[in-house]
Amino acid sequence: MKYGHFDDSKKEYVITSPKTPLPWINYLGCESFFSLISNTGGGYSFYKDAKLLRLTRYRYNNVPYDNNGRYFYIKDNGVTWNPGWQPTQTELDSYSCRHGLGYTIFESSKNDLAASVTAFVPIGDNCEINKLTLKNNGSSDKNIDIFSYIEFCLWNAVDDASNFQRNLNTGEVEIEPGVIYHKTEYRERRNHYAVYGVNAPVAGFDTDRETFLGAYRSPSDPEVVEKGAATNKVASGWSPIGSFQLKATLKPGEEVSYVFVLGYIENPKEEKWEALNVINKKRAHEMLERYNTTEKADVAFKALCDYWTNLLGKYTLETEDDKLCRMVNIWNQYQCMVTFNMSRSASYYESGMGRGMGFRDSSQDLLGFVHLIPDKARERIIDIASTQFEDGSAYHQYQPLTKTGNMDIGSGFNDDPLWLIAGTSAYIRETGDFSILDEMVPFDNKVELAKPLMEHLRRSFNFFDNAKGPHKLTLIGRADWNDCLNLNCFSDTPGESFQTTGPSEGPVAESVFIAGMYVKYGNEYADLCEHTGLNDEAKEVRAKVAEMYKAVTTAGWDGEWFVRAYDANSNPVGSKVCEEGQIFIEPQGMCVMAGIGVEEGLAQKALDSVKERLDTKYGIVLLQPPYQRYHLELGEISSYPPGYKENAGIFCHNNPWISIAETVIGRGNRAFEIYKKTCPAYTEDISDIHRAEPYAYAQMIAGKDAANFGEAKNSWLTGTAAWTFTNVSQHILGVRPHLDGLIVDPCIPDTIKEMTITRHFRGNIYKIHVNNAAGSQKGIKKMTVNGKEIEGTLIPFEANQGTVEVEAVM
Ligand code: GLC
Ligand code: GLC
């Protein structure tokens, strides 16, 4: 069952019923000011940091869910309704919500009155614009009252939701005609406030929540709206809100538009005040002036659309399969940008109050957006590397505002260092910019400890010289990619963090997954050494990699698949000798991606075992059989009920590893089958089962052992976005950046007979036409570049070529 449809010509998903199984959201903003917006107008706004600089309040865990947003109450002939259906839930005559790239449009109608709301954050500004248009489609005049509504957050979202003894006293606003300023804490240490304005004369305003709603009422039936008259009350403490009342008289066929702006204003300390306790409004006035006509708002909207068209033009695919094209050209890349902007902070599953930037998560996110915004990727790499310790280990997380490491979580996640090599090597392959390796980058954020980035990569790799276990495999530390495989934790106290508890980081427990990474990213590091003249070092690195390869194919091989790990007692995890958790997905994907066992036939065996034991109709589960009881020696993984999250859920992040691994051994049909199983455009038809947005990847889909098999959770902020895009663009479609140029080596299903990929790369535009009339799955038979035949699959890079025509025959 579906709740809408894709409109590829506009790059939108059009939701046609407000009663989606879960709120289906979109993101507004691509620089500093961001908003979440659901298909019923719910969500909230923040500036840079969702925890510390939250402009509007959101209620979590509420009933009904998705409570609080930017709302417009339209009162027409005694009937009150919202264009987004919530919060009144008045049945609408028509409804649609179009989620587009950086904007959302509601189009609804009731009793011959049509309303549309266009919500977006303009490029280059710190505000959300809501353009509201009303049109009388009836045959008599209409006298309409409009009430807008937002609820302010007192900036720090955690404090706002907990520190009531203080916060109910601090709320302050200032008012001007058509403008409400939220200035809580501005009198003391803040030099920022929120401004909320509308570009038309208002009939009144409200700023105190209880006065607006009425005692014991909710946004679903505000008293002021019921009575039809704003109170002009100036909030003092309690809960400040922003609401305007507007009155419109519309003749048949007539329409009117208003522009509402919610903005963030920061003043230099010395320019905070106009007079005692009167805030300096100059910047706010300037902002409101930038959008004080519908024409100006429309120009800003157009600029936003152009921004996205231009950005997503960097990699485009034309082929017969519409679903594949829309994911590659629109939604997958869009989600990669959202993970760049949000990391793991703010979604409808991540509260925006918790996690900072993850070392491992952000490094992997890079893989998905480096081709779109290479300059920002460069900055991100430097930020991440600056939180590394001198011994090569790293803070697991850092704060987005201060960019310093998070002491509470500390370090000890032994996969982290290698992800830095992964991200940096992806950046250099994309850009050819080796100069980043000479960039001086601090250790532990201490400038005095700065060393060239190359030294950081070296220490990432060499970290494992002293971090190998009894089987000569890499030590796991607190956890590797699988945050829930906590082999040194042994927690039996409720509430303890599985990730930070433990007697030590453990001298025994080993990870075959990290060993696979060591081989893959060790080789990539050696490539960088060779390209920068460090040939001796490259040789040493390759020798160490070869030893690890050997350890993986011996101690790390279980007969039919790769072992997952060895625990603190050196017992295998993810082996046929285990009672539960006999086979895990991660080492099969990572080891084969690293090329381990391809020649020996182990790779194919491992992938066949994945198909036989882990595959389901909705995707590949993380492990089998699931853990039925809590294992002290394994940690959080066994804390989840079977089929959820890391305990045998379909963890979408690692499905593309298996798909990529299949391309390594040339099985294009299988690679594509795996790709499709978790791909939103292909699962749209089962939206009632899947429940999450059909245009975004979710972190997890409940596995076959769960009661709700096939149900997705944690949509949007997941490494799945980056890895699925890496998979489909570089391995299935096969257009892959290499240090020396661009590789064209598709591994596709035999049903794709023809495709054209347009790829911007280091200033050139490659138009790559692939002819697969033969119905092959892998292997280029012949390739010409601007009419000249070349050997192999690598198009050597030459600068300033303009458009390069590539013809490849499979
Ligand atoms: C979450 C974490 C990520 C981890 C994954 C598997 O998505 O953000 O760091 O790798 O879970 O445990
Ligand atoms: C929990 C989740 C895991 C996530 C981690 C982040 O362990 O199961 O997916 O990575 O929290 O701290």
Side-chain angles (χ1 to χ4, degrees), residues 569-758:
N569 296 313
S570 261
N571 293 319
V573 179
S575 153
K576 59 178 177 292
V577 307
C578 304
E579 207 184 305
E580 303 175 328
Q582 294 175 335
I583 172 171
F584 280 62
I585 191 173
E586 306 100 308
Q588 324 312 328
M590 187 51 78
C591 293
V592 179
M593 287 200 294
I596 302 176
V598 174
E599 275 164 24
E600 302 87 326
L602 307 185
Q604 182 169 333
K605 255 194 196 162
L607 296 176
D608 288 345
S609 298
V610 167
K611 182 162 189 197
E612 196 184 309
R613 291 169 186 258
L614 299 179
D615 208 10
T616 79
K617 60 179 169 177
Y618 298 133
I620 304 170
V621 299
L622 196 144
L623 60 87
Q624 277 295 296
Y627 294 105
Q628 300 285 350
R629 60 185 178 84
Y630 178 57
H631 291 253
L632 193 64
E633 77 288 6
L634 301 180
E636 185 169 5
I637 194 162
S638 56
S639 76
Y640 285 112
Y644 293 109
K645 295 281 280 183
E646 283 86 342
N647 189 12
I650 297 159
F651 221 93
C652 298
H653 187 136
N654 50 36
N655 275 240
W657 295 345
I658 300 297
S659 184
I660 296 171
E662 289 287 353
T663 69
V664 171
I665 63 167
R667 298 197 291 201
N669 286 345
R670 174 70 180 148
F672 196 59
E673 177 186 71
I674 296 168
Y675 170 77
K676 285 198 295 189
K677 281 187 190 196
T678 55
C679 183
Y682 293 91
T683 55
E684 187 199 7
D685 288 338
I686 54 155
S687 289
D688 48 330
I689 297 171
H690 198 261
R691 292 174 33 98
E693 294 93 331
Y695 44 88
Y697 280 96
Q699 181 206 56
M700 188 223 43
I701 297 168
K704 62 181 175 181
D705 305 289
N708 302 323
F709 180 34
E711 182 185 68
K713 290 199 187 96
N714 297 12
S715 54
W716 284 103
L717 304 185
T718 160
T720 312
W723 274 107
T724 46
F725 191 71
T726 302
N727 175 29
V728 71
S729 63
Q730 299 190 19
H731 299 278
I732 294 179
L733 303 176
V735 178
R736 183 159 67 246
H738 179 278
L739 292 176
D740 300 322
L742 201 59
I743 290 177
V744 177
D745 191 17
C747 182
I748 51 180
D750 49 20
T751 47
I752 295 184
K753 296 291 193 292
E754 195 184 6
M755 58 187 194
T756 303
I757 292 148
T758 307

Side-chain angles (χ1 to χ4, degrees), residues 60-309:
Y60 302 91
N61 246 336
N62 211 298
V63 184
Y65 47 45
D66 199 19
N67 186 313
N68 244 13
R70 69 288 283 150
Y71 295 133
F72 296 99
Y73 299 88
I74 294 165
K75 197 169 176 186
D76 169 26
N77 201 15
V79 180
T80 301
W81 55 283
N82 306 100
W85 183 65
Q86 288 245 65
T88 59
Q89 300 192 359
T90 305
E91 288 301 322
L92 300 168
D93 295 341
S94 68
Y95 158 94
S96 74
C97 166
R98 300 175 157 267
H99 283 319
L101 305 179
Y103 68 87
T104 290
I105 298 175
F106 295 91
E107 283 167 341
S108 309
S109 65
K110 179 85 186 169
N111 299 334
D112 292 329
L113 181 63
S116 86
V117 179
T118 302
F120 67 101
V121 171
I123 298 285
D125 220 338
N126 295 323
C127 59
E128 178 183 322
I129 293 179
N130 287 183
K131 183 179 109 175
L132 169 70
T133 302
L134 296 173
K135 184 173 184 199
N136 181 356
N137 289 325
S139 50
S140 52
D141 287 10
K142 280 182 181 289
N143 292 309
I144 305 150
D145 281 296
I146 302 137
F147 296 86
S148 67
Y149 180 74
I150 56 165
E151 182 178 357
F152 292 109
C153 178
L154 309 185
W155 300 112
N156 180 326
V158 174
D159 191 72
D160 180 72
S162 50
N163 192 9
F164 304 108
Q165 59 79 27
R166 166 181 161 86
N167 294 343
L168 298 180
N169 302 290
T170 53
E172 286 190 296
V173 296
E174 274 184 47
I175 319 281
E176 282 182 342
V179 194
I180 294 166
Y181 300 89
H182 174 234
K183 58 168 191 176
T184 301
E185 290 192 345
Y186 190 83
R187 68 167 61 241
E188 26 124 349
R189 290 157 297 176
R190 295 187 185 276
N191 58 336
H192 46 260
Y193 58 80
V195 56
Y196 181 57
V198 58
N199 70 336
V202 301
F205 63 86
D206 271 281
T207 59
D208 177 61
R209 191 182 75 202
E210 194 171 334
T211 310
F212 181 75
L213 298 181
Y216 291 96
R217 292 200 183 206
S218 79
S220 67
D221 62 339
E223 195 167 73
V224 159
V225 177
E226 187 180 291
K227 291 189 172 153
T231 67
N232 295 347
K233 169 97 187 249
V234 178
S236 174
W238 298 104
S239 294
I241 61 157
S243 173
F244 295 114
Q245 179 179 11
L246 298 150
K247 286 183 173 290
T249 302
L250 294 180
K251 295 194 182 14
E254 201 183 347
E255 71 170 37
V256 62
S257 291
Y258 306 102
V259 182
F260 292 81
V261 175
L262 170 67
Y264 170 89
I265 302 291
E266 209 168 271
N267 281 330
K269 284 223 159 62
E270 40 323 326
E271 293 172 30
K272 272 178 77 165
W273 303 104
E274 225 166 82
L276 179 66
N277 288 335
V278 178
I279 61 176
N280 177 349
K281 304 183 181 66
K282 186 165 166 278
R283 288 179 174 78
H285 289 156
E286 287 164 0
M287 176 185 277
L288 294 176
E289 179 144 345
R290 288 195 284 277
Y291 311 105
N292 63 0
T293 65
T294 33
E295 291 70 31
K296 288 187 193 172
D298 291 345
V299 168
F301 183 66
K302 167 90 177 28
L304 176 74
C305 296
D306 291 347
Y307 165 85
W308 279 106
T309 305

Side-chain angles (χ1 to χ4, degrees), residues 344 355 360-361 396 481-484 646 651 653 699:
R344 299 295 172 272
R355 298 208 247 169
R360 147 200 321 138
D361 293 343
H396 192 50
W481 172 87
N482 190 328
D483 262 339
C484 298
E646 283 86 342
F651 221 93
H653 187 136
Q699 181 206 56

Side-chain angles (χ1 to χ4, degrees), residues 337-642:
M337 284 304 296
V338 171
T339 62
F340 165 72
N341 289 324
M342 297 291 126
S343 187
R344 299 295 172 272
S345 72
S347 75
Y348 269 30
Y349 306 85
E350 303 278 8
S351 65
M353 304 193 286
R355 298 208 247 169
M357 311 277 296
F359 193 99
R360 147 200 321 138
D361 293 343
S362 296
S363 299
Q364 290 172 85
D365 289 347
L366 272 163
L367 308 176
F369 61 73
V370 64
H371 68 296
L372 296 170
I373 42 166
D375 295 346
K376 289 184 179 156
R378 192 183 206 271
E379 277 171 38
R380 183 62 62 86
I381 290 169
I382 309 276
D383 287 349
I384 295 172
S386 306
T387 64
Q388 189 175 28
F389 292 107
E390 284 180 287
D391 71 350
S393 67
Y395 278 109
H396 192 50
Q397 287 179 7
Y398 68 97
Q399 305 303 333
L401 283 183
T402 62
K403 297 184 174 173
T404 54
N406 179 352
M407 246 352 257
D408 301 342
I409 306 215
S411 71
F413 298 79
N414 285 354
D415 59 323
D416 277 337
L418 293 169
W419 290 122
L420 180 64
I421 300 179
T424 309
S425 133
Y427 169 80
I428 298 176
R429 276 181 282 132
E430 177 66 39
T431 59
D433 171 21
F434 281 90
S435 78
I436 191 176
L437 296 173
D438 303 325
E439 204 68 47
M440 292 298 278
V441 181
F443 281 102
D444 193 8
N445 296 104
K446 298 193 177 94
V447 185
E448 62 280 16
L449 300 180
K451 286 270 174 351
L453 181 64
M454 187 66 175
E455 181 61 27
H456 284 253
L457 304 191
R458 178 172 297 124
R459 293 191 192 181
S460 288
F461 181 74
N462 290 341
F463 170 78
F464 294 96
D465 289 351
N466 301 313
K468 286 188 201 133
H471 301 91
K472 303 229 162 31
L473 293 162
T474 42
L475 292 177
I476 195 167
R478 298 200 173 277
D480 61 21
W481 172 87
N482 190 328
D483 262 339
C484 298
L485 194 59
N486 316 117
L487 304 181
N488 295 302
C489 174
F490 297 93
S491 174
D492 55 9
T493 307
E496 257 176 12
S497 161
F498 287 102
Q499 275 90 40
T500 57
T501 303
S504 76
E505 284 158 17
V508 176
E510 300 163 292
S511 161
V512 178
F513 173 79
I514 300 181
M517 285 185 78
Y518 184 91
V519 171
K520 177 163 167 56
Y521 299 117
N523 277 327
E524 292 189 14
Y525 175 61
D527 294 342
L528 294 178
C529 291
E530 277 156 10
H531 277 75
T532 48
L534 302 171
N535 291 317
D536 292 344
E537 187 177 355
K539 272 193 204 121
E540 276 168 43
V541 170
R542 301 238 193 248
K544 289 189 202 170
V545 163
E547 275 172 44
M548 189 61 70
Y549 187 110
K550 204 164 146 225
V552 173
T553 51
T554 51
W557 181 250
D558 199 50
E560 301 289 323
W561 57 80
F562 293 100
V563 180
R564 178 62 178 85
Y566 284 91
D567 70 15
N569 296 313
S570 261
N571 293 319
V573 179
S575 153
K576 59 178 177 292
V577 307
C578 304
E579 207 184 305
E580 303 175 328
Q582 294 175 335
I583 172 171
F584 280 62
I585 191 173
E586 306 100 308
Q588 324 312 328
M590 187 51 78
C591 293
V592 179
M593 287 200 294
I596 302 176
V598 174
E599 275 164 24
E600 302 87 326
L602 307 185
Q604 182 169 333
K605 255 194 196 162
L607 296 176
D608 288 345
S609 298
V610 167
K611 182 162 189 197
E612 196 184 309
R613 291 169 186 258
L614 299 179
D615 208 10
T616 79
K617 60 179 169 177
Y618 298 133
I620 304 170
V621 299
L622 196 144
L623 60 87
Q624 277 295 296
Y627 294 105
Q628 300 285 350
R629 60 185 178 84
Y630 178 57
H631 291 253
L632 193 64
E633 77 288 6
L634 301 180
E636 185 169 5
I637 194 162
S638 56
S639 76
Y640 285 112

